[in-house]
Amino acid sequence: MSPKPLILRILTPDGTVFDGPVEAVFLPGSKGRFEVLPGHAPLITSLDPGRIDWRTGGLRQAIAVRDGAAIVEDNTVTVCAQVRAK
């Protein structure tokens, strides 16, 4: 049986930015930048200004955020954040 994939959901006041399977997520946590991989322990954290990066299909994508919060539970990373203006 293959392991359950890691799902990333990035939600903003304007809508859903990303919702799908990923290989890894890098978050700008309030205690420092950290990585989430499949099987990560559950956690809730606030986010500092910075960049959320994720890998999917060997490609890296990113979005800059001003602040927010993230919940990791049952191989799902849910991010609620304010996106930085471009």
Side-chain angles (χ1 to χ4, degrees), residues 1-80:
M1 186 161 110
S2 63
K4 187 174 177 182
L6 183 63
I7 302 296
L8 172 62
R9 291 188 181 108
I10 302 176
L11 312 172
T12 72
D14 295 325
T16 301
V17 173
F18 184 87
D19 188 353
V22 296
E23 298 157 8
V25 180
F26 302 85
L27 298 167
S30 58
K31 300 283 185 181
R33 191 162 172 81
F34 67 98
E35 179 179 18
V36 177
L37 296 169
H40 197 286
L43 70 87
I44 298 174
T45 185
S46 58
L47 300 176
D48 280 352
R51 199 174 73 208
I52 298 172
D53 296 279
W54 61 96
R55 284 193 322 256
T56 182
L59 300 174
R60 193 170 200 150
Q61 297 178 315
I63 187 168
V65 296
R66 289 191 312 208
D67 57 16
I71 299 171
V72 179
E73 184 176 44
D74 194 29
N75 272 350
T76 300
V77 180
T78 304
V79 175
C80 296

